[in-house]
Structures are given as C-alpha cells and as structure tokens.
Amino acid sequence: MIRSDDAARAGRELRSRYTPADLSVFTPEEAGRFAPDGRGDPRTNPVLAWELVYRLEPELYDRLVTAELLHPGIVDWLPRMTDRIVEVGAGTGRLTMKLVNRAREVVAVEPAMPLRAILQRKLDEASCGDLVRVVHGFFDELPLPDDYAELVVACSAFTPDPAHGGNAGLAEMERVCMPAGCVAIIWPNNLDWLADNGYRYVRFSGPMSVEFASHEEAVELSQVFYPRAVDEIRRRGLRRVPFDIIGFNPPRDLAFKTLPR
Ligand SMILES: C[S@@+](CC[C@H](N)C(=O)[O-])C[C@H]1O[C@@H](n2cnc3c(N)ncnc32)[C@H](O)[C@@H]1O
C-alpha cells in the first residue's frame, strides 16, 4: 500500500521533501539539538532535511549509503584487532558492519531510532548481533565511561556544528578514548578546524563512484539526493556514477588524533 506521505514525496529532491510540520518527529532531546525552540525549515536548511530523512524515510537513506561505498583504504587503515571500538553516529552501519570482528566489543552509538533498528536488523541477519552493542546517544553525551575504547570513530557524521559534534562532541570522543588510543573522523568536512584541534589528515587515491544496483535506482535516488546529476546520469545511462558527476568529494579521507599515553 502506498501511504499518502510517500505519494506526496515521490520524486521530490531532499530540500523540498519535508516541511516544518515534520519536525514533530523529533524527540525532545533531538529537537533541543537540531531545532531549538521548535524552529527550523528543512526546505532552507539541508542539515535539518537529512535529520528528517533518517527518521521519516530511513530505508530510502539506507539504499543511498548502500551504494555510496567507503574507499577500501579507510577500513584497511583502521586497527585490525582491538579490545573495544566505539562508533558514534553509526547510522545503518556503513562502517559498523566492517568493524565487526575487529574488536572484542563494538559499541555503535546512534541517536535516530529508525536507523538503529535497521542496523540491528543487519547485524542479526549477519549473525553478529552479540559482537556489536547498538545504543542511543549523541556526540556531546556519550553513554560510556572514560577511557573505554582504543578506537573512537565517526563516519560521515561529525561536524564542527555543536548539533553534530562541535567542541563538546570532540571532547566527549576523546574522553571515551583510552590513553594512546585513536580518535578518527572519517570523511571530515572541516579540515582546518580539525587540524587546529591537533588532528592529522590521510587521503586515499584512485577513482571512486557511487555503485547503484541499477540505472533505474541511480536515477531514482539521484532525484532525491543528487538532483544536479540526474540529467547526466540519464543521458549516459549510468548505474555506476563517478563522484565528479555528483559534484562532491568522495568518502576517501579521514582525520585522526592519537591521544597521549
Ligand atoms: C550521514 S549519516 C552517516 C551514518 C553512518 N555513519 C554512515 O557512514 O553511513 C550521519 C549520522 O550521524 C548521526 N547524528 C546526527 N547528529 C548526531 C549527534 N549529535 N550525535 C551522534 N550522532 C549524530 C545521524 O543520526 C546519522 O546516523
């Protein structure tokens, strides 16, 4: 059955998919961070629109990140075997699923309940539900003790904006990281800010594309998430879409800090 909300949104790009009325989906904790005083308009604030897609259309979001693969160099760079790893803003597990078997325990912190549900389902389907603990939390309020993990990582989630990390979030990630452990920000969006905070930078080279399951899916998802690329994707009949057509930097880099002993 097609629900009326789904029908109204069909084919619409992210910035015109939701209205201020949709902000009612936020819990009070989420609203306090993402839409203080109940204010904000997802039609003019793309960051807010992303927060709504996580909660209103999580399966659509998961289809996007399933196609938008990380550079394999990133996962190779991360420690191979540790006692504990914490991932913050784990989403539906684009990175989390690669961290399984790299630690005795992985804790995946994710505020959006619908994304946690998809991640838990994937873990259960892969029979690794007991290796990963999926928990609710935010960058600035991690539900974990000091010095908990050797690696504390965020992938496509941390920004200098206090709602999505900021100074308080960075301090929390470092609090939870053990002495001599590593805090890593994958696909960072503000290198100067991270460098000012003592983070070093690594970038992996080579061509990168978004690997959709079919040309039809490339068109459907690009209409929502990469609207400026749709005409070119149609014209070339693409299933695999190079990032230069999409028009933003691919997930091929990270910033990291090794904490003092
Ligand atoms: C672009 S998604 C990336 C998800 C996943 N890490 C991946 O790479 O597919 C951003 C994620 O950050 C989460 N997020 C947003 N604000 C957050 C906050 N203040 N604290 C923790 N996570 C947050 C979102 O719920 C979402 O799962």
Side-chain angles (χ1 to χ4, degrees):
M1 189 177 76
I2 298 177
R3 293 180 36 234
S4 57
D5 285 352
D6 295 342
R9 288 176 191 141
R12 283 178 182 247
E13 64 181 272
L14 191 61
R15 69 172 180 179
S16 60
R17 259 180 123 72
Y18 311 117
T19 69
D22 290 315
L23 303 183
S24 62
V25 73
F26 288 141
T27 65
E29 280 179 302
E30 291 166 351
R33 287 172 174 86
F34 306 135
D37 307 323
R39 270 189 253 142
D41 188 338
R43 295 167 296 192
T44 52
N45 179 349
V47 176
L48 209 43
W50 280 103
E51 291 301 332
L52 291 175
V53 79
Y54 305 149
R55 290 161 178 86
L56 295 171
E57 300 182 279
E59 300 286 350
L60 182 74
Y61 169 74
D62 185 50
R63 287 173 63 205
L64 173 72
V65 288
T66 298
E68 216 184 59
L69 302 173
L70 303 175
H71 192 297
I74 290 176
V75 178
D76 283 352
W77 184 93
L78 295 171
R80 290 211 172 271
M81 195 57 210
T82 60
D83 203 32
R84 291 189 184 123
I85 298 175
V86 172
E87 184 191 356
V88 189
T92 59
R94 170 166 43 182
L95 176 67
T96 326
M97 298 306 289
K98 311 266 185 204
L99 299 176
V100 173
N101 293 324
R102 283 185 170 232
R104 192 174 52 77
E105 181 192 28
V106 176
V107 181
V109 181
E110 169 52 50
M113 189 269 282
L115 301 188
R116 287 202 303 278
I118 293 176
L119 173 54
Q120 190 64 60
R121 184 185 76 209
K122 287 185 187 176
L123 290 165
D124 292 342
E125 283 170 3
S127 304
C128 27
D130 49 347
L131 293 173
V132 180
R133 192 153 56 92
V134 181
V135 302
H136 173 265
F138 295 91
F139 280 113
D140 59 342
E141 203 174 345
L142 295 176
L144 294 163
D146 295 355
D147 303 344
Y148 191 71
E150 285 124 303
L151 173 67
V152 181
V153 61
C155 176
S156 180
F158 183 92
T159 79
D161 168 10
H164 300 92
N167 287 313
L170 208 56
E172 267 295 83
M173 291 180 80
E174 293 182 11
R175 176 186 69 76
V176 164
C177 187
M178 288 171 59
C182 177
V183 177
I185 310 292
I186 294 172
W187 209 4
N189 84 337
N190 193 318
L191 299 180
D192 291 343
W193 187 87
L194 286 167
D196 288 347
N197 282 283
Y199 281 69
R200 290 159 62 193
Y201 182 66
V202 184
R203 181 179 184 276
F204 302 94
S205 57
M208 286 188 73
S209 299
V210 182
E211 308 273 345
F212 292 105
S214 62
H215 170 63
E216 290 68 30
E217 179 174 75
V219 171
E220 182 197 342
L221 293 183
S222 297
Q223 278 175 333
V224 181
F225 297 108
Y226 318 135
R228 276 182 284 183
V230 176
D231 288 349
E232 192 64 5
I233 292 169
R234 276 212 179 93
R235 194 178 68 75
R236 294 206 215 169
L238 296 173
R239 171 188 81 76
R240 177 179 295 137
V241 183
F243 270 91
D244 55 354
I245 291 181
I246 289 167
F248 58 78
N249 65 312
R252 64 157 89 247
D253 55 354
L254 61 89
F256 75 100
K257 184 179 192 175
T258 306
L259 297 193
R261 284 187 186 278

